[in-house]
Amino acid sequence: MKREKMTKVMRMKIIESALQEFNDKSYEKASMNHICQIGNISKGIIYHYFKDKDELYLECVRICFEKMMEHYATRDEYNMEIYMQYRISFFKEYPHLRGIFFNTLLRTPQHLKREVAIIKKDFNELNLKVFKNALNHVQLRENITYQTALEYYNIMQNSFNDYFCQKIEEGIDFDEIIHQHEELLLKWFDMMFYGIVRKEV
């Protein structure tokens, strides 16, 4: 096997082992030693290809979000229901990325937030595009501007995820948190969009 091909194979072996570790555990609980055990790789080999745990973690996050965006790229326009259907189908096709996605969404390492935000940029823009598409099909109330609606979306999205971050701190099982997050997302979007109180005429 040529040296260049061997290098590519070894790098992929490290990444596959790291994907498994970061999918099963948060960044804080993931272990470089366990990644070595998963792939039967020496720590020296890992550090030959990746500077540290941060760099390896960010590579796994990048792969996760690139794969997700490739999945969404098969369709030009989404409403919220179709968006969620594609999200569900993505995790069925790539179950080994589910934990990485939700760990990144709900418990990004504090010191890597800037780097992760750059990686998530296209994903965040897709989410905004879905919301804008929904706005384009309704008439806003007289006292609500388009820009105000977008600001409200950002506030509510952050609040939604913060709610589940709090559940993590309370020690609730992470798989249960993921289940609740996805189960409530469409309901949350509907309530955010149309409100919870019937306006009296």
Side-chain angles (χ1 to χ4, degrees), residues 23-189:
N23 188 59
D24 293 340
K25 301 171 186 173
S26 65
Y27 170 88
E28 288 76 14
K29 292 183 178 179
S31 161
M32 293 293 273
N33 287 332
H34 196 239
I35 292 171
C36 292
Q37 292 174 18
I38 292 170
N40 193 24
I41 308 162
S42 73
K43 196 177 283 187
I45 290 290
I46 291 181
Y47 287 122
H48 175 74
Y49 289 90
F50 296 93
K51 182 176 67 175
D52 52 24
K53 181 181 176 181
D54 288 358
E55 188 174 74
L56 184 52
Y57 169 78
L58 290 171
E59 178 64 13
C60 291
V61 172
R62 184 190 64 76
I63 289 169
C64 173
F65 281 89
E66 280 188 359
K67 287 285 184 188
M68 180 170 268
M69 293 309 298
E70 287 171 10
H71 189 75
Y72 277 115
T74 57
R75 188 181 178 96
D76 292 330
E77 190 170 302
Y78 291 90
N79 60 34
M80 193 61 187
E81 289 77 15
I82 294 172
Y83 172 87
M84 286 305 297
Q85 288 170 12
Y86 267 62
R87 184 141 134 177
I88 291 167
S89 68
F90 173 78
F91 290 127
K92 283 183 178 177
E93 186 174 348
Y94 300 100
H96 61 290
L97 298 179
R98 180 173 175 265
I100 293 173
F101 174 81
F102 284 102
N103 272 311
T104 303
L105 193 67
L106 300 175
R107 46 186 183 190
T108 303
Q110 193 67 33
H111 69 291
L112 294 176
K113 282 196 169 183
R114 188 179 70 84
E115 290 86 348
V116 168
I118 293 170
I119 293 171
K120 286 172 56 185
K121 182 175 179 288
D122 289 344
F123 172 74
N124 290 336
E125 287 179 354
L126 172 64
N127 289 341
L128 185 58
K129 181 180 178 182
V130 172
F131 182 69
K132 285 180 175 179
N133 181 56
L135 285 180
N136 291 335
H137 290 83
V138 296
Q139 185 174 356
L140 295 175
R141 285 161 47 184
E142 289 182 9
N143 61 333
I144 302 294
T145 66
Y146 188 79
Q147 187 58 40
T148 299
L150 294 180
E151 290 172 1
Y152 178 67
Y153 160 78
N154 284 325
I155 292 168
M156 294 302 293
Q157 179 180 238
N158 290 334
S159 298
F160 182 76
N161 287 331
D162 285 346
Y163 169 77
F164 288 97
C165 289
Q166 181 61 40
K167 285 184 173 289
I168 293 172
E169 292 182 13
E170 292 170 3
I172 296 173
D173 179 72
F174 194 57
D175 280 336
E176 177 59 25
I177 290 172
I178 293 173
H179 174 73
Q180 290 181 20
H181 186 282
E182 297 301 271
E183 187 177 60
L184 288 174
L185 190 55
L186 270 177
K187 294 177 182 177
W188 164 81
F189 184 83

